[in-house]
Amino acid sequence: MKCSLFKNEDYKVSEWTGGFMKELAVFPRTSKYIDRDFIWRLSSDNVTKEEASFSKLPDYDRVIMVLEGEAVLSYEGQRVARLAELEQDRFDGDWKTISFGEITDYNLIVRKGEEGYLDLIFPKSEYEICCSTEKSEKMNSTHALYCRDGYFVVSVDDESYMVKQGEQFVIEGEPQETIQYGIMGEGTIVRAQIFYGDAEDIGPQIIPREKATFDDFKLCIYLSNVQFRWAKYIVKSLRRTWFDEELSKAIKKIERFYITTLIFLIGIASIIALFAKGILDAGMSACIIAIWVAVDCLLISPAVYMAFMPKPIRKHIKDIENLTSYEQRVYKEELAANPELEKIMKKYKNSGKNLGKDE
């Protein structure tokens, strides 16, 4: 089992229309709430307004528990729930939800098709063995223990961890592993029991960052020199490989601002300027241009790529025959997309809006 302790300095704090939100834990850990690419997410909201609207999350189910205060949750067209302190409610993330009451809550969000539950544990002065109270056929499970008040000590695989008020402890089991642990202490623990399928089928593969190597630089030489429109028809290796989302995003960041192209053109323009001033003759200019092209292709452009690429780069370049289910879906979406057409449609999306209308 893998254990992680998250403290106040580890939380991501952000502001929303109803107050402030602390992201306590998210899986996969590289996920971003704004991208909606997580499998599950735990947060604590400090709702400072008497009336607040929740963001719609159509791909997720939600469970909210009130930690402090009282609230009324109105799900337009569905129902209304009144929650006192330490009471919870489960609802569809796609529902239009309005909260009434200033509260602090604990919020579990799980992707639809996965399972998540909240309950309470009141630790005692002696260790008690805890395990899942919910049954699931999902391959993976996680238990997340949040110290609402007081403190607790949790023992997992002969290791003990002290968890203080406001801290989040997460236990991730191996596939098909039964999670079990001992707890002692005093106060109130909010426990999330989360069950989900194969993470590779649901989201992107998490690749830990490593120090840059010469192999990374060699791959940057390759990557920086295959970023042209007809590359797949000329470079055979591109037909058999796929760049994952993290690598593609880094490449797009460079190409969007034409960084390497601008550097190359500045060099060429400088040589032409020297030729125009008579400092260089035609033969010398041609020779220097050839050297500049080689230096740019083998050193300068790769160096720019090296600064932006996720390392190790090789792990982000996948054989299309060995993609996970999730990667296959993304790959097919990319093949079906037409970026040029999308640009044109975006440019002219307002054209003709007023046709047929009197001025």
Side-chain angles (χ1 to χ4, degrees):
M1 286 182 282
K2 178 181 177 181
C3 298
S4 304
L5 177 61
F6 300 97
K7 301 182 179 182
N8 283 321
E9 56 266 29
D10 301 316
Y11 302 150
K12 294 179 182 178
V13 181
S14 58
E15 188 173 354
W16 62 294
T17 55
F20 297 91
M21 174 184 63
K22 290 190 294 187
E23 182 179 270
L24 308 175
V26 65
F27 182 82
R29 294 192 184 183
T30 55
S31 303
K32 295 181 180 179
Y33 175 73
I34 194 170
D35 293 335
R36 308 294 196 261
D37 58 353
F38 57 91
I39 296 173
W40 58 261
R41 180 178 184 268
L42 292 167
S43 65
S44 178
D45 297 312
N46 185 8
V47 183
T48 58
K49 294 186 178 180
E50 189 61 32
E51 180 178 333
S53 297
F54 287 10
S55 299
K56 293 190 71 174
L57 299 168
D59 297 325
Y60 293 90
D61 291 319
R62 306 180 66 167
V63 187
I64 283 183
M65 178 180 287
V66 175
L67 299 181
E68 295 179 10
E70 294 183 349
V72 173
L73 299 180
S74 173
Y75 312 110
E76 187 176 306
Q78 302 295 332
R79 57 185 174 82
V80 174
R82 182 181 294 275
L83 300 179
E85 198 167 280
L86 297 183
E87 290 185 339
Q88 63 175 288
D89 194 40
R90 176 185 303 274
F91 59 97
D92 192 319
D94 195 32
W95 290 354
K96 183 177 180 180
T97 304
I98 299 176
S99 169
F100 298 93
E102 297 181 16
I103 61 168
T104 299
D105 66 32
Y106 189 79
N107 189 357
L108 167 63
I109 306 174
V110 294
R111 186 181 291 275
K112 286 181 177 175
E114 313 309 324
E115 302 167 17
Y117 308 91
L118 294 181
D119 64 354
L120 296 171
I121 297 175
F122 301 98
K124 299 179 181 179
S125 57
E126 296 182 355
Y127 271 112
E128 288 186 325
I129 300 300
C130 298
C131 55
S132 295
T133 57
E134 304 288 343
K135 293 183 178 181
S136 175
E137 296 181 355
K138 298 291 183 180
M139 181 183 298
N140 297 290
S141 61
T142 293
H143 281 208
L145 309 172
Y146 179 74
C147 187
R148 184 250 192 179
D149 57 76
Y151 76 94
F152 67 89
V153 178
V154 55
S155 178
V156 184
D157 293 337
D158 299 324
E159 292 285 338
S160 295
Y161 307 84
M162 167 75 79
V163 184
K164 300 177 183 178
Q165 182 173 336
E167 296 180 347
Q168 177 73 68
F169 189 74
V170 176
I171 307 169
E172 298 175 60
E174 296 294 329
Q176 306 295 350
E177 182 180 20
T178 299
I179 294 180
Q180 186 171 290
Y181 44 92
I183 287 182
M184 65 170 291
E186 60 181 34
T188 309
I189 301 171
V190 180
R191 176 173 64 173
Q193 300 177 68
I194 308 164
F195 306 93
Y196 56 96
D198 187 349
E200 289 190 346
D201 289 342
I202 300 169
Q205 181 184 2
I206 301 173
I207 301 175
R209 292 296 181 96
E210 297 179 10
K211 290 183 178 180
T213 64
F214 183 64
D215 182 62
D216 290 316
F217 190 79
K218 288 193 296 183
L219 287 170
C220 283
I221 295 175
Y222 167 73
L223 292 173
S224 63
N225 287 287
V226 295
Q227 303 305 318
F228 54 94
R229 179 170 293 185
W230 309 110
K232 286 190 176 182
Y233 298 99
I234 299 173
V235 184
K236 291 184 179 180
S237 60
L238 288 175
R239 304 173 200 171
R240 304 188 303 271
T241 56
W242 176 72
F243 302 156
D244 72 6
E245 292 170 288
E246 189 175 4
L247 183 61
S248 295
K249 186 176 181 179
I251 292 172
K252 287 177 181 177
K253 181 183 288 187
I254 296 173
E255 297 300 321
R256 184 186 305 129
F257 299 105
Y258 303 102
I259 298 174
T260 54
T261 302
L262 289 173
I263 293 173
F264 175 75
L265 292 177
I266 288 171
I268 294 294
S270 299
I271 297 169
I272 293 174
L274 292 174
F275 171 72
K277 291 179 180 180
I279 298 175
L280 299 175
D281 58 29
M284 183 63 72
S285 297
C287 181
I288 294 177
I289 287 175
I291 294 172
W292 171 249
V293 170
V295 170
D296 182 75
C297 291
L298 298 176
L299 290 175
I300 298 177
S301 289
V304 173
Y305 268 69
M306 192 73 170
F308 289 89
M309 295 300 103
K311 290 86 173 178
I313 297 172
R314 193 169 296 279
K315 291 185 179 181
H316 293 271
I317 301 176
K318 310 294 183 70
D319 185 332
I320 59 174
E321 298 296 329
N322 297 308
L323 301 179
T324 65
S325 299
Y326 171 81
E327 291 170 344
Q328 288 174 3
R329 291 198 300 271
V330 176
Y331 175 60
K332 289 178 181 178
E333 288 173 2
E334 290 176 354
L335 290 178
N338 189 332
E340 294 301 320
L341 179 59
E342 290 174 4
K343 286 182 182 178
I344 295 171
M345 295 296 290
K346 185 177 181 180
K347 183 177 180 181
Y348 295 104
K349 66 179 180 179
N350 293 320
S351 296
K353 264 190 173 182
N354 296 316
L355 289 177
K357 293 185 178 180
D358 294 331
E359 293 187 0

